[in-house]
Amino acid sequence: MMKTKGWILAGSLFLAGHRLLAATPVPNELLSTQDATQLVARVANAARTVTFQGVYVHQHGDNMEAFRVIHEATSGNDIERRESLDGPPREFYRQGNQISLYLPGGQVFPIDRRQSSKLFPRQFPDDPEHVLVNYQVRYVGQERVAGQDANIYDFEPKDKLRYPHRYWVHADTGLMLKSVMLGVRHEPVEVFAFSQVQIGGAIDKRQLKPVYPVKPAPVDDSPGSMTLPKDPAWDIHNLPGGFRLLKVSQRAMVGKPRPVVHHLYGDGLVTISVFIEPFDPAAPLGIAQQAGITVFARQAGPYLLTVLGEVPAETVQAFSYAYTPKGEKSGAQ
């Protein structure tokens, strides 16, 4: 009888272990919706709640820069300092919601809270559904990044409107250690990667003090409009799927005599900007691509319509032709 119970117990332990192994992703396995949701939420949370410091590189096309980042997570306002290690000195300092900058010449310009909160390694949104409606997640395997064990995940687009992405996630904390956006030929077009990193532990307070004379930067906290305005000059129809309108605003832009209307869309990982301004005959028209960013500009009635984003050419063109001045045939090309 005791021997029988021993076999039953051993069998139960084997089955429990088998179930545990079955729940662990194997290379090239797609994650379930539940597991993918937990992954996105964990990575997004880690960038806010994990203390870390290190040096990372940003490669965009032929350009490569190195940055030092120190992030102290506290129960109150976290503190973060970044400085460029290549080219002209630049520094970003944030304490809670207060942001200060140092730029060449001492200039300071308004920054958008949404963009400043997406700095590497904080690149995932708080809403996993926004990402997963457009991408499926595949576990690739494991690799070391900057001496740290990382799990690798591919975010594969569910359509041809966006590029694939690959992420290396710290196995213990969920902190993003490396991210790569891949182009149409699966070539890397944008890379963020730690070359050295320390995760956890105490931060020397002297490391958090700005090196340069930073100045407080005006921060645009306005949510803008989440719905397209009823513009008597435009019909907007058949926008590409999977992109949400994030903001409608007016932006001052370098070289522009007056603010430009800006419609910002996002799919959770990348954004697309639509700029509307009076037509300028000197403005270059047509499609242009550089380092994963695609720009499409055209004349639309009395307006210059410019669409740009880290997406394929077909996507920015589809956005552009979804905007039609009233009185013109919709979608005319």
Side-chain angles (χ1 to χ4, degrees), residues 68-108:
R68 178 179 289 113
V69 57
I70 300 105
H71 176 263
E72 183 181 55
T74 63
S75 57
N77 290 337
D78 60 331
I79 301 175
E80 182 173 292
R81 185 177 74 83
R82 297 170 187 260
E83 62 172 311
S84 63
L85 301 179
D86 299 318
R90 288 154 290 157
E91 190 166 12
F92 172 97
Y93 180 79
R94 179 179 61 79
Q95 185 168 8
N97 290 325
Q98 304 301 313
I99 294 176
S100 298
L101 299 173
Y102 174 79
L103 298 171
Q107 60 179 330
V108 173

Side-chain angles (χ1 to χ4, degrees), residues 27-323:
N28 296 318
E29 178 182 356
L30 283 175
L31 270 61
S32 67
T33 300
Q34 179 180 359
D35 288 344
T37 299
Q38 291 176 350
L39 171 68
V40 173
R42 182 178 185 233
V43 175
N45 186 61
R48 297 189 302 270
T49 61
V50 172
T51 293
F52 61 89
Q53 58 181 317
V55 174
Y56 69 90
V57 294
H58 176 210
Q59 182 176 353
H60 202 239
D62 295 331
N63 298 318
M64 180 181 290
E65 294 181 285
F67 297 87
R68 178 179 289 113
V69 57
I70 300 105
H71 176 263
E72 183 181 55
T74 63
S75 57
N77 290 337
D78 60 331
I79 301 175
E80 182 173 292
R81 185 177 74 83
R82 297 170 187 260
E83 62 172 311
S84 63
L85 301 179
D86 299 318
R90 288 154 290 157
E91 190 166 12
F92 172 97
Y93 180 79
R94 179 179 61 79
Q95 185 168 8
N97 290 325
Q98 304 301 313
I99 294 176
S100 298
L101 299 173
Y102 174 79
L103 298 171
Q107 60 179 330
V108 173
F109 58 87
I111 59 176
D112 190 307
R113 174 80 65 201
R114 183 180 290 103
Q115 299 301 321
S116 66
S117 67
K118 293 278 285 183
L119 298 174
F120 178 81
R122 190 175 173 177
Q123 292 179 300
F124 280 3
D126 294 329
D127 179 9
E129 184 182 353
H130 192 189
V131 175
L132 299 178
V133 72
N134 299 306
Y135 300 86
Q136 61 183 9
V137 182
R138 187 182 302 275
Y139 175 71
V140 177
Q142 292 184 321
E143 199 171 80
R144 290 212 311 156
V145 176
Q148 304 288 337
D149 292 330
N151 295 316
I152 310 170
Y153 299 92
D154 278 352
F155 280 59
E156 302 170 346
K158 296 180 180 180
D159 53 36
K160 296 182 179 180
L161 295 174
R162 55 207 97 228
Y163 291 133
H165 299 254
R166 175 168 288 187
Y167 298 100
W168 285 253
V169 176
H170 187 233
D172 292 336
T173 65
L175 185 70
M176 186 185 297
L177 299 178
K178 181 178 179 180
S179 73
V180 177
M181 184 177 71
L182 302 165
V184 292
R185 294 176 296 277
H186 223 66
E187 77 282 8
V189 294
E190 184 172 35
V191 179
F192 290 91
F194 278 110
S195 58
Q196 63 180 67
V197 64
Q198 174 187 317
I199 301 174
I203 297 288
D204 185 342
K205 298 298 183 183
R206 292 172 296 182
Q207 295 291 321
L208 286 167
K209 293 184 65 174
V211 175
Y212 299 98
V214 297
K215 297 179 181 178
V219 177
D220 182 3
D221 277 316
S222 63
S225 171
M226 295 295 288
T227 58
L228 285 170
K230 292 182 179 179
D231 193 326
W234 293 95
D235 285 318
I236 305 174
H237 298 293
N238 301 320
L239 287 164
F243 290 91
R244 293 182 187 174
L245 178 68
L246 302 177
K247 193 171 186 178
V248 174
S249 62
Q250 287 195 330
R251 286 184 54 182
M253 299 184 69
V254 176
K256 302 292 184 181
R258 53 185 175 179
V260 175
V261 174
H262 179 215
H263 295 179
L264 181 68
Y265 298 85
D267 74 349
L269 294 184
V270 298
T271 57
I272 290 180
S273 290
V274 179
F275 296 104
I276 304 171
E277 58 184 307
F279 180 68
D280 179 0
L285 305 179
I287 198 87
Q289 290 180 302
Q290 184 176 9
I293 296 178
T294 308
V295 182
F296 180 59
R298 69 181 179 95
Q299 181 178 3
Y303 301 99
L304 174 64
L305 196 67
T306 305
V307 184
L308 65 87
E310 292 180 319
V311 291
E314 295 80 1
T315 310
V316 292
Q317 289 177 310
F319 262 93
S320 179
Y321 289 116
Y323 283 68

